[in-house]
Amino acid sequence: PGIPISTNQRLQFDVSHTTGRLVTGNHSGHITMFEGATIKAGGEVAEPDCYWLGHSDTVSCVSIHPLWGWVVSGSGRRHFKFICGEDEEKEENSMKLWIFDG
């Protein structure tokens, strides 16, 4: 939360219709989960209930299973090599399944 965005890539989020959980990813590989409402009275943003490093690259998509405590996340983005040197970022294109109780 509060991490500046350094990519113009679209990042997806998902909201569970049964639990009200909201889950999203960011460009640094972190996945953030909120339980219920994320905006408090007065416009203050709630603190995340769960926050972890899921990938070593941009988390571009996340989805919550509608019945089980599962979250799937996908990462990857296009990296460009520069003529004057190598791109030093580690590239990862992957999908991961995260299992939670409840």
Side-chain angles (χ1 to χ4, degrees):
I3 299 172
I5 302 299
S6 67
T7 179
N8 61 358
Q9 182 175 357
R10 292 182 184 180
L11 304 179
Q12 179 218 353
F13 67 92
D14 195 13
V15 178
S16 170
H17 70 279
T18 56
T19 64
R21 288 182 179 148
L22 181 143
V23 64
T24 186
N26 67 20
H27 77 281
S28 65
H30 287 89
I31 300 168
T32 306
M33 185 180 299
F34 296 90
E35 298 287 337
T38 58
I39 305 296
K40 295 180 180 179
E44 182 183 340
V45 178
E47 290 295 318
D49 295 287
C50 190
Y51 183 74
W52 70 97
L53 181 62
H55 298 269
S56 63
D57 206 346
T58 301
V59 178
S60 55
C61 60
V62 290
S63 186
I64 302 171
H65 190 281
L67 301 176
W68 301 95
W70 300 346
V71 172
V72 66
S73 61
S75 75
R77 63 180 166 146
R78 189 175 290 176
H79 294 266
F80 297 97
K81 303 287 184 192
F82 297 101
I83 296 172
C84 60
E86 296 276 334
D87 185 0
E88 295 182 11
E89 292 185 59
K90 182 179 178 184
E91 184 175 340
E92 176 190 24
N93 296 307
S94 66
M95 181 177 73
K96 293 184 179 180
L97 176 65
W98 308 93
I99 300 174
F100 296 89
D101 290 334

PDB file of all heavy atoms in Angstrom, residues 54-72:
ATOM      1  N   GLY A  54       4.336 -11.965  -3.493  1.00  0.00           N
ATOM      2  CA  GLY A  54       3.911 -13.158  -4.196  1.00  0.00           C
ATOM      3  C   GLY A  54       4.766 -13.504  -5.395  1.00  0.00           C
ATOM      4  O   GLY A  54       4.915 -14.678  -5.743  1.00  0.00           O
ATOM      5  N   HIS A  55       5.329 -12.491  -6.048  1.00  0.00           N
ATOM      6  CA  HIS A  55       6.111 -12.701  -7.266  1.00  0.00           C
ATOM      7  C   HIS A  55       7.298 -11.741  -7.263  1.00  0.00           C
ATOM      8  O   HIS A  55       7.307 -10.763  -6.531  1.00  0.00           O
ATOM      9  CB  HIS A  55       5.249 -12.429  -8.504  1.00  0.00           C
ATOM     10  CG  HIS A  55       4.070 -13.334  -8.632  1.00  0.00           C
ATOM     11  ND1 HIS A  55       4.120 -14.522  -9.328  1.00  0.00           N
ATOM     12  CD2 HIS A  55       2.800 -13.233  -8.168  1.00  0.00           C
ATOM     13  CE1 HIS A  55       2.926 -15.103  -9.285  1.00  0.00           C
ATOM     14  NE2 HIS A  55       2.107 -14.339  -8.586  1.00  0.00           N
ATOM     15  N   SER A  56       8.260 -12.012  -8.119  1.00  0.00           N
ATOM     16  CA  SER A  56       9.411 -11.115  -8.240  1.00  0.00           C
ATOM     17  C   SER A  56       9.210 -10.103  -9.363  1.00  0.00           C
ATOM     18  O   SER A  56      10.119  -9.346  -9.679  1.00  0.00           O
ATOM     19  CB  SER A  56      10.691 -11.922  -8.474  1.00  0.00           C
ATOM     20  OG  SER A  56      10.617 -12.617  -9.697  1.00  0.00           O
ATOM     21  N   ASP A  57       8.027 -10.069  -9.976  1.00  0.00           N
ATOM     22  CA  ASP A  57       7.711  -9.138 -11.053  1.00  0.00           C
ATOM     23  C   ASP A  57       6.284  -8.625 -10.838  1.00  0.00           C
ATOM     24  O   ASP A  57       5.612  -9.015  -9.888  1.00  0.00           O
ATOM     25  CB  ASP A  57       7.847  -9.854 -12.406  1.00  0.00           C
ATOM     26  CG  ASP A  57       8.162  -8.904 -13.550  1.00  0.00           C
ATOM     27  OD1 ASP A  57       8.022  -7.677 -13.371  1.00  0.00           O
ATOM     28  OD2 ASP A  57       8.555  -9.378 -14.616  1.00  0.00           O
ATOM     29  N   THR A  58       5.813  -7.794 -11.720  1.00  0.00           N
ATOM     30  CA  THR A  58       4.486  -7.197 -11.622  1.00  0.00           C
ATOM     31  C   THR A  58       3.391  -8.254 -11.494  1.00  0.00           C
ATOM     32  O   THR A  58       3.347  -9.196 -12.273  1.00  0.00           O
ATOM     33  CB  THR A  58       4.204  -6.334 -12.870  1.00  0.00           C
ATOM     34  OG1 THR A  58       5.192  -5.318 -12.953  1.00  0.00           O
ATOM     35  CG2 THR A  58       2.827  -5.709 -12.808  1.00  0.00           C
ATOM     36  N   VAL A  59       2.517  -8.100 -10.508  1.00  0.00           N
ATOM     37  CA  VAL A  59       1.344  -8.968 -10.367  1.00  0.00           C
ATOM     38  C   VAL A  59       0.227  -8.293 -11.168  1.00  0.00           C
ATOM     39  O   VAL A  59      -0.378  -7.331 -10.732  1.00  0.00           O
ATOM     40  CB  VAL A  59       0.932  -9.146  -8.896  1.00  0.00           C
ATOM     41  CG1 VAL A  59      -0.316 -10.004  -8.792  1.00  0.00           C
ATOM     42  CG2 VAL A  59       2.064  -9.759  -8.098  1.00  0.00           C
ATOM     43  N   SER A  60      -0.005  -8.813 -12.363  1.00  0.00           N
ATOM     44  CA  SER A  60      -0.938  -8.153 -13.276  1.00  0.00           C
ATOM     45  C   SER A  60      -2.371  -8.634 -13.124  1.00  0.00           C
ATOM     46  O   SER A  60      -3.296  -7.951 -13.544  1.00  0.00           O
ATOM     47  CB  SER A  60      -0.479  -8.345 -14.720  1.00  0.00           C
ATOM     48  OG  SER A  60      -0.315  -9.727 -14.986  1.00  0.00           O
ATOM     49  N   CYS A  61      -2.576  -9.809 -12.536  1.00  0.00           N
ATOM     50  CA  CYS A  61      -3.942 -10.300 -12.371  1.00  0.00           C
ATOM     51  C   CYS A  61      -4.062 -11.158 -11.127  1.00  0.00           C
ATOM     52  O   CYS A  61      -3.130 -11.856 -10.746  1.00  0.00           O
ATOM     53  CB  CYS A  61      -4.398 -11.076 -13.601  1.00  0.00           C
ATOM     54  SG  CYS A  61      -3.383 -12.504 -13.961  1.00  0.00           S
ATOM     55  N   VAL A  62      -5.217 -11.053 -10.487  1.00  0.00           N
ATOM     56  CA  VAL A  62      -5.550 -11.866  -9.323  1.00  0.00           C
ATOM     57  C   VAL A  62      -7.026 -12.226  -9.417  1.00  0.00           C
ATOM     58  O   VAL A  62      -7.819 -11.494  -9.992  1.00  0.00           O
ATOM     59  CB  VAL A  62      -5.283 -11.123  -7.990  1.00  0.00           C
ATOM     60  CG1 VAL A  62      -3.807 -10.947  -7.745  1.00  0.00           C
ATOM     61  CG2 VAL A  62      -5.988  -9.802  -7.955  1.00  0.00           C
ATOM     62  N   SER A  63      -7.380 -13.359  -8.856  1.00  0.00           N
ATOM     63  CA  SER A  63      -8.779 -13.776  -8.857  1.00  0.00           C
ATOM     64  C   SER A  63      -9.051 -14.613  -7.619  1.00  0.00           C
ATOM     65  O   SER A  63      -8.207 -15.403  -7.200  1.00  0.00           O
ATOM     66  CB  SER A  63      -9.084 -14.573 -10.126  1.00  0.00           C
ATOM     67  OG  SER A  63     -10.463 -14.857 -10.208  1.00  0.00           O
ATOM     68  N   ILE A  64     -10.245 -14.440  -7.043  1.00  0.00           N
ATOM     69  CA  ILE A  64     -10.672 -15.178  -5.853  1.00  0.00           C
ATOM     70  C   ILE A  64     -11.653 -16.261  -6.278  1.00  0.00           C
ATOM     71  O   ILE A  64     -12.602 -15.987  -7.024  1.00  0.00           O
ATOM     72  CB  ILE A  64     -11.363 -14.235  -4.850  1.00  0.00           C
ATOM     73  CG1 ILE A  64     -10.430 -13.103  -4.438  1.00  0.00           C
ATOM     74  CG2 ILE A  64     -11.852 -15.005  -3.634  1.00  0.00           C
ATOM     75  CD1 ILE A  64     -11.104 -12.020  -3.623  1.00  0.00           C
ATOM     76  N   HIS A  65     -11.441 -17.484  -5.808  1.00  0.00           N
ATOM     77  CA  HIS A  65     -12.393 -18.553  -6.090  1.00  0.00           C
ATOM     78  C   HIS A  65     -13.696 -18.239  -5.345  1.00  0.00           C
ATOM     79  O   HIS A  65     -13.657 -17.865  -4.170  1.00  0.00           O
ATOM     80  CB  HIS A  65     -11.837 -19.903  -5.631  1.00  0.00           C
ATOM     81  CG  HIS A  65     -12.645 -21.056  -6.100  1.00  0.00           C
ATOM     82  ND1 HIS A  65     -13.818 -21.433  -5.482  1.00  0.00           N
ATOM     83  CD2 HIS A  65     -12.464 -21.910  -7.131  1.00  0.00           C
ATOM     84  CE1 HIS A  65     -14.334 -22.472  -6.111  1.00  0.00           C
ATOM     85  NE2 HIS A  65     -13.518 -22.788  -7.119  1.00  0.00           N
ATOM     86  N   PRO A  66     -14.850 -18.373  -5.994  1.00  0.00           N
ATOM     87  CA  PRO A  66     -16.105 -17.965  -5.364  1.00  0.00           C
ATOM     88  C   PRO A  66     -16.539 -18.817  -4.169  1.00  0.00           C
ATOM     89  O   PRO A  66     -17.305 -18.353  -3.332  1.00  0.00           O
ATOM     90  CB  PRO A  66     -17.130 -18.071  -6.492  1.00  0.00           C
ATOM     91  CG  PRO A  66     -16.523 -18.982  -7.490  1.00  0.00           C
ATOM     92  CD  PRO A  66     -15.034 -18.827  -7.363  1.00  0.00           C
ATOM     93  N   LEU A  67     -16.063 -20.050  -4.037  1.00  0.00           N
ATOM     94  CA  LEU A  67     -16.507 -20.920  -2.944  1.00  0.00           C
ATOM     95  C   LEU A  67     -15.404 -21.305  -1.970  1.00  0.00           C
ATOM     96  O   LEU A  67     -15.657 -21.534  -0.795  1.00  0.00           O
ATOM     97  CB  LEU A  67     -17.136 -22.199  -3.512  1.00  0.00           C
ATOM     98  CG  LEU A  67     -18.338 -21.987  -4.430  1.00  0.00           C
ATOM     99  CD1 LEU A  67     -18.809 -23.307  -5.001  1.00  0.00           C
ATOM    100  CD2 LEU A  67     -19.458 -21.287  -3.691  1.00  0.00           C
ATOM    101  N   TRP A  68     -14.191 -21.425  -2.443  1.00  0.00           N
ATOM    102  CA  TRP A  68     -13.077 -21.873  -1.615  1.00  0.00           C
ATOM    103  C   TRP A  68     -12.179 -20.703  -1.246  1.00  0.00           C
ATOM    104  O   TRP A  68     -12.234 -19.664  -1.856  1.00  0.00           O
ATOM    105  CB  TRP A  68     -12.270 -22.946  -2.360  1.00  0.00           C
ATOM    106  CG  TRP A  68     -13.117 -24.125  -2.715  1.00  0.00           C
ATOM    107  CD1 TRP A  68     -13.755 -24.335  -3.898  1.00  0.00           C
ATOM    108  CD2 TRP A  68     -13.457 -25.220  -1.882  1.00  0.00           C
ATOM    109  NE1 TRP A  68     -14.458 -25.514  -3.856  1.00  0.00           N
ATOM    110  CE2 TRP A  68     -14.287 -26.086  -2.615  1.00  0.00           C
ATOM    111  CE3 TRP A  68     -13.127 -25.581  -0.576  1.00  0.00           C
ATOM    112  CZ2 TRP A  68     -14.805 -27.257  -2.107  1.00  0.00           C
ATOM    113  CZ3 TRP A  68     -13.636 -26.749  -0.067  1.00  0.00           C
ATOM    114  CH2 TRP A  68     -14.464 -27.577  -0.820  1.00  0.00           C
ATOM    115  N   GLY A  69     -11.301 -20.877  -0.271  1.00  0.00           N
ATOM    116  CA  GLY A  69     -10.373 -19.832   0.150  1.00  0.00           C
ATOM    117  C   GLY A  69      -9.133 -19.800  -0.719  1.00  0.00           C
ATOM    118  O   GLY A  69      -8.020 -19.856  -0.205  1.00  0.00           O
ATOM    119  N   TRP A  70      -9.323 -19.735  -2.036  1.00  0.00           N
ATOM    120  CA  TRP A  70      -8.199 -19.757  -2.966  1.00  0.00           C
ATOM    121  C   TRP A  70      -8.074 -18.420  -3.686  1.00  0.00           C
ATOM    122  O   TRP A  70      -9.070 -17.806  -4.057  1.00  0.00           O
ATOM    123  CB  TRP A  70      -8.382 -20.831  -4.041  1.00  0.00           C
ATOM    124  CG  TRP A  70      -8.490 -22.224  -3.536  1.00  0.00           C
ATOM    125  CD1 TRP A  70      -8.185 -22.698  -2.290  1.00  0.00           C
ATOM    126  CD2 TRP A  70      -8.947 -23.350  -4.275  1.00  0.00           C
ATOM    127  NE1 TRP A  70      -8.412 -24.038  -2.204  1.00  0.00           N
ATOM    128  CE2 TRP A  70      -8.886 -24.479  -3.414  1.00  0.00           C
ATOM    129  CE3 TRP A  70      -9.398 -23.541  -5.576  1.00  0.00           C
ATOM    130  CZ2 TRP A  70      -9.250 -25.745  -3.823  1.00  0.00           C
ATOM    131  CZ3 TRP A  70      -9.760 -24.798  -5.970  1.00  0.00           C
ATOM    132  CH2 TRP A  70      -9.684 -25.895  -5.104  1.00  0.00           C
ATOM    133  N   VAL A  71      -6.829 -18.006  -3.887  1.00  0.00           N
ATOM    134  CA  VAL A  71      -6.530 -16.841  -4.713  1.00  0.00           C
ATOM    135  C   VAL A  71      -5.492 -17.287  -5.735  1.00  0.00           C
ATOM    136  O   VAL A  71      -4.516 -17.944  -5.385  1.00  0.00           O
ATOM    137  CB  VAL A  71      -5.960 -15.669  -3.872  1.00  0.00           C
ATOM    138  CG1 VAL A  71      -5.482 -14.536  -4.759  1.00  0.00           C
ATOM    139  CG2 VAL A  71      -6.999 -15.174  -2.874  1.00  0.00           C
ATOM    140  N   VAL A  72      -5.714 -16.956  -6.983  1.00  0.00           N
ATOM    141  CA  VAL A  72      -4.725 -17.250  -8.020  1.00  0.00           C
ATOM    142  C   VAL A  72      -4.170 -15.909  -8.496  1.00  0.00           C
ATOM    143  O   VAL A  72      -4.901 -14.919  -8.605  1.00  0.00           O
ATOM    144  CB  VAL A  72      -5.329 -18.079  -9.183  1.00  0.00           C
ATOM    145  CG1 VAL A  72      -6.369 -17.295  -9.947  1.00  0.00           C
ATOM    146  CG2 VAL A  72      -4.245 -18.581 -10.108  1.00  0.00           C
TER     147      VAL A  72
END
